[in-house]
Amino acid sequence: MYPADEGITAYLTHSACAMHEMGQGHPECPGRLAAIQDRLIAAQLWDYLLHVDAPAATHEQLMRVHDEAYIDRLTSMVPGHGYVHLDPDTAINRFSLLAAYHAAGAGVHAVDLIMQGRANNAFCSVRPPGHHAERSRAMGFCLFNNLAVAAAHAMDVHGIERVAIVDFDVHHGNGSEDIFCDDPRVQMVGFFQHPFFPYCGDTPRGPNMLNVPLPRATTGLQFRDMVVEKWLPALDAFAPQFIFISAGFDAHLEDEMSSMGLVEADYAWITRQIKQVAKQHAQGRIVSTLEGGYDLSALGRSVAVHIKELSGL
């Protein structure tokens, strides 16, 4: 068993996640996971993590947050070769659904590891990402909502009564909001560049959704002020028993996908704040799942500081 301030961080991924790709030049590419691994090795963090192969999610686990007809429709669309486009930005190849099952299964297994005392927290280095996937709709590079599958598992299997979702991707996590907007067991806090894809979130869909739209060119200092003024009081009042992070790193200054100004120090800082909330209310339980981040160098550096803070190294 690992106390909240001394625990090992589990690192979950699967080789299938590198087999999903959406065509030459697509920003959500297999090189993202390689960049993270390379940086963790260079930063001398790799050997301190508990490395775990992510299992595939089961049909039952996916159906806690997705409609069965949607899962069946995705399955029927998998091509024998080439690509099938689900929307203008999101395509699948013959390996994509396998990758998506393992990406969703990573968070589920991370929850189990933490609840069994085999790890204190976890980072899921998986793709395709998930926070844009709604209950019955793929979009924004996402097929299954990986974080939502894990959060539902924590509540329905392990009896967790209150979970918090912290989403610091530069795009609003519309899928997570769609799935949990009427669930009082869930408190979601998120910030996002606005107006920007997916062009929603400025009007929350439920009282448990604390969505904070911020303008382009928002700095790290402005982001931190918002967290202190809005996120932290809400999280403290909710007192979550488990925290899930939609860890998108595309608000980085060097990421051309957006127009924000965060840097590695900001990602380290927000991770420390989340850890403090988890230590106070959730016995240190955190599962962080990769979402966005498309400049490979900035992504690798940002994930490395995030994991360094999670692991306390």
Side-chain angles (χ1 to χ4, degrees):
M1 301 291 287
Y2 297 95
D5 56 348
E6 298 177 2
I8 192 168
T9 294
Y11 182 87
L12 294 94
T13 190
H14 193 275
S15 58
C17 293
M19 298 165 69
H20 160 67
E21 52 88 20
M22 294 184 280
Q24 185 175 3
H26 198 291
E28 206 294 282
C29 62
R32 299 176 67 228
L33 301 188
I36 291 170
Q37 178 175 326
D38 289 348
R39 185 61 191 178
L40 291 174
I41 293 171
Q44 299 184 12
L45 296 170
W46 186 256
D47 291 338
Y48 291 94
L49 305 174
L50 175 64
H51 293 275
V52 180
D53 275 345
T58 67
H59 200 68
E60 177 186 6
Q61 290 163 354
L62 293 175
M63 284 182 56
R64 293 191 181 107
V65 302
H66 291 295
D67 292 339
E68 185 172 20
Y70 167 68
I71 300 171
D72 292 343
R73 186 166 69 252
L74 271 184
T75 302
S76 71
M77 296 176 71
V78 174
H81 57 86
Y83 307 99
V84 169
H85 277 81
L86 307 179
D87 67 23
D89 301 315
T90 311
I92 55 175
N93 69 2
R94 62 192 178 110
F95 301 110
S96 297
L97 201 59
L98 177 64
Y101 268 89
H102 283 281
V108 170
H109 193 53
V111 169
D112 290 341
L113 290 173
I114 291 168
M115 295 303 295
Q116 294 162 5
R118 296 169 59 193
N120 184 64
N121 55 45
F123 181 79
C124 300
S125 187
V126 294
R127 48 182 299 281
H131 75 149
H132 293 308
E134 299 181 348
R135 185 171 292 277
S136 58
R137 181 187 180 195
M139 63 179 291
F141 312 161
C142 303
L143 303 185
F144 298 136
N145 195 310
N146 308 321
L147 179 138
V149 173
H153 179 75
M155 293 184 288
D156 294 350
V157 174
H158 292 284
I160 297 295
E161 297 177 350
R162 296 181 305 280
V163 306
I165 295 172
V166 179
D167 190 325
F168 55 70
D169 190 279
V170 79
H171 305 93
H172 173 53
N174 61 290
S176 302
E177 183 173 39
D178 176 68
I179 291 166
F180 290 124
C181 64
D182 59 353
D183 193 333
R185 301 174 298 171
V186 179
Q187 169 73 63
M188 180 174 171
V189 300
F191 97 105
F192 46 94
Q193 182 176 322
H194 183 77
F196 202 37
F197 180 88
Y199 303 103
C200 61
D202 51 317
T203 302
R205 294 176 56 185
N208 59 331
M209 298 287 136
L210 178 55
N211 304 342
V212 186
L214 295 175
R216 66 191 310 273
T218 292
T219 66
L221 180 59
Q222 292 168 320
F223 166 72
R224 295 187 192 203
D225 287 344
M226 179 278 297
V227 170
V228 171
E229 293 172 8
K230 297 185 177 182
W231 282 9
L232 295 182
L235 291 170
D236 191 54
F238 186 68
Q241 297 172 326
F242 211 123
I243 297 179
F244 294 85
I245 304 175
S246 270
F249 300 92
D250 40 5
H252 195 284
L253 180 65
E254 297 172 20
D255 199 309
E256 295 182 356
M257 185 68 79
S258 66
S259 304
M260 288 288 194
L262 274 61
V263 295
E264 293 94 303
D266 299 310
Y267 292 115
W269 179 85
I270 185 57
T271 307
R272 289 195 296 272
Q273 309 313 306
I274 297 169
K275 275 191 72 178
Q276 184 57 41
V277 175
K279 182 177 180 180
Q280 182 174 354
H281 297 293
Q283 300 180 41
R285 300 168 180 150
I286 298 172
V287 169
S288 179
T289 298
L290 180 66
E291 301 287 1
Y294 305 100
D295 181 276
L296 298 186
S297 176
L299 173 64
R301 301 192 318 264
S302 299
V303 173
V305 300
H306 178 60
I307 288 178
K308 185 174 182 180
E309 292 294 339
L310 283 177
S311 62
L313 294 170

